[in-house]
Amino acid sequence: MEKLIKKLEEILETENLDVNKKFQDYEEWDSLAALSVISLLDSDYGLPMKYKDLIAFESIKAFCEDVLCRQ
């Protein structure tokens, strides 16, 4: 999970990602960040995801757990 969190920190331009927050809670969250996360999922994990599914997660932690479970 640490590798995924580090990549999300890069996308959201933060050093200390609070995994209990939602993506939308970050000021840096915009359409480009969303596309970057979706692209990361596809390229690094082979997982397709739609924007509506991405923002539906209760927290970034729930998102990470889901990604790692589907590998």
Side-chain angles (χ1 to χ4, degrees):
M1 185 181 300
E2 189 174 320
K3 179 181 170 186
L4 178 55
I5 290 172
K6 286 292 180 196
K7 290 185 179 200
L8 294 174
E9 286 177 338
E10 289 176 19
I11 291 170
L12 293 172
E13 300 174 1
T14 186
E15 292 181 11
N16 298 309
L17 187 69
D18 182 350
V19 295
N20 296 309
K21 289 184 173 183
K22 289 184 171 194
F23 287 112
Q24 303 91 307
D25 293 337
Y26 282 89
E27 269 186 46
E28 296 80 2
W29 183 255
D30 58 12
S31 58
L32 181 58
L35 286 174
S36 295
V37 172
I38 291 169
S39 177
L40 166 73
L41 288 176
D42 187 41
S43 65
D44 289 17
Y45 298 94
L47 299 173
M49 187 172 289
K50 295 179 180 178
Y51 176 77
K52 67 178 181 136
D53 298 326
L54 179 62
I55 62 169
F57 285 98
E58 291 295 318
S59 66
I60 295 172
K61 181 179 180 181
F63 164 80
C64 291
E65 289 171 347
D66 182 72
V67 168
L68 297 175
C69 282
R70 294 198 297 158
Q71 279 192 308

